Amino acid sequence: QVLLVESGGGVVQPGRSLRLSCAASGFTFRTHGIDWVRQAPGKGLEWVAAVSYDGMNKYYADSVKGRFTISRDNSKNRLYLQMNSLRVEDSAVYYCAREGLATKLHTFDIWGQGTKVTVSS
Amino acid sequence: DIQMTQSPSALSASVGDRVTITCRASQTINNYLAWYQNKPEKAPKLLIYEASNLESGVPSRFSGSGSGTEFTLTISSLQSDDFATYYCQGYNNYWTFGQGTKVEIK
């Protein structure tokens, strides 16, 4: 069974840091790009960051550039999101999502269940 | 960055209705266009990829069409399980979602 399971969410004060993790199973992790997508309460989906299959290329939304860092460990089948200088507007459910291959390139074909991050004083 | 604009932002429909949602990209996205269904407290689910390809396991009442900058998601006969929010997602160097279309019960 193909699975993505996020962890690491919680309540944190503005300006502090948090590290999210995503554990993958049931597929060859090292062959897929993996992304973080978030959804603020009552809002739509927002792409946050992406990392290529080999970890060499990383991409960020302007809203998080310079504050968030995406990384992966293919030996552990894990994806990470280091979030620094958190703001109230970063509060959201954070999903990890697998990019498809071939005709599903740049499409998110598998999603985790999400981990909730609340930034509040 | 590309902008993805969905219309309408919400609609009311009855079971059995034909529903159409439109998504416009601010520049051509070479058919890198996907549609997702999102229900409260659940992860988004891929419905359509590459503008018109139906994801495995998705009912055939869902279909996608379009090319270039204008795309459409159609539900041919709305079922009770289809009341949800639908998002388009395009790619042109970065990934961008539309603002969503909420399909509500009439």
Side-chain angles (χ1 to χ4, degrees):
Chain A
Q1 186 184 6
V2 177
L3 273 180
L4 295 171
V5 179
E6 303 91 338
S7 61
V11 180
V12 62
Q13 292 179 327
R16 305 298 291 262
S17 299
L18 204 61
R19 189 195 198 203
L20 305 184
S21 180
C22 172
S25 59
F27 67 98
T28 307
F29 183 70
R30 66 179 182 274
T31 62
H32 289 262
I34 306 284
D35 297 49
W36 289 99
V37 176
R38 68 185 180 184
Q39 187 168 33
K43 302 295 185 182
L45 299 172
E46 179 188 15
W47 172 76
V48 173
V51 61
S52 59
Y53 67 99
D54 57 1
M56 296 296 290
N57 297 299
K58 302 176 183 182
Y59 309 90
Y60 299 94
D62 287 344
S63 57
V64 307
K65 202 172 291 183
R67 300 187 299 122
F68 288 12
T69 302
I70 190 171
S71 62
R72 66 189 294 162
D73 186 338
N74 285 347
S75 68
K76 296 181 179 178
N77 287 355
R78 282 207 175 242
L79 172 75
Y80 303 100
L81 186 68
Q82 178 66 43
M83 304 187 294
N84 298 333
S85 303
L86 281 162
R87 304 168 180 168
V88 171
E89 55 265 34
D90 294 320
S91 297
V93 174
Y94 284 73
Y95 296 101
C96 62
R98 186 183 83 169
E99 294 182 36
L101 301 175
T103 53
K104 295 184 191 177
L105 201 59
H106 307 306
T107 296
F108 305 122
D109 63 349
I110 300 294
W111 296 68
Q113 286 304 302
T115 187
K116 187 174 182 179
V117 173
T118 302
V119 184
S120 172
S121 54
Chain B
D1 293 358
I2 59 167
Q3 307 298 320
M4 306 297 295
T5 304
Q6 283 182 239
S7 60
S9 55
L11 64 90
S12 297
S14 302
V15 171
D17 284 353
R18 182 182 183 88
V19 169
T20 299
I21 299 168
T22 298
C23 179
R24 288 188 174 86
S26 59
Q27 55 189 280
T28 184
I29 54 174
N30 295 320
N31 287 3
Y32 284 131
L33 190 284
W35 291 96
Y36 302 87
Q37 180 190 66
N38 188 209
K39 295 182 178 180
E41 310 304 318
K42 288 200 166 185
K45 174 186 174 184
L46 176 65
L47 300 174
I48 301 287
Y49 61 93
E50 209 177 40
S52 61
N53 294 312
L54 190 68
E55 174 69 339
S56 176
V58 173
S60 59
R61 62 181 180 272
F62 291 92
S63 64
S65 64
S67 63
T69 61
E70 187 152 339
F71 303 88
T72 299
L73 173 71
T74 300
I75 309 172
S76 60
S77 178
L78 197 67
Q79 301 301 301
S80 57
D81 191 48
D82 301 338
F83 292 99
T85 300
Y86 294 85
Y87 293 91
C88 64
Q89 172 253 313
Y91 175 83
N92 187 337
N93 297 320
Y94 290 91
W95 296 259
T96 306
F97 290 92
Q99 78 277 20
T101 296
K102 187 172 184 178
V103 177
E104 299 173 306
I105 301 172
K106 196 170 189 177

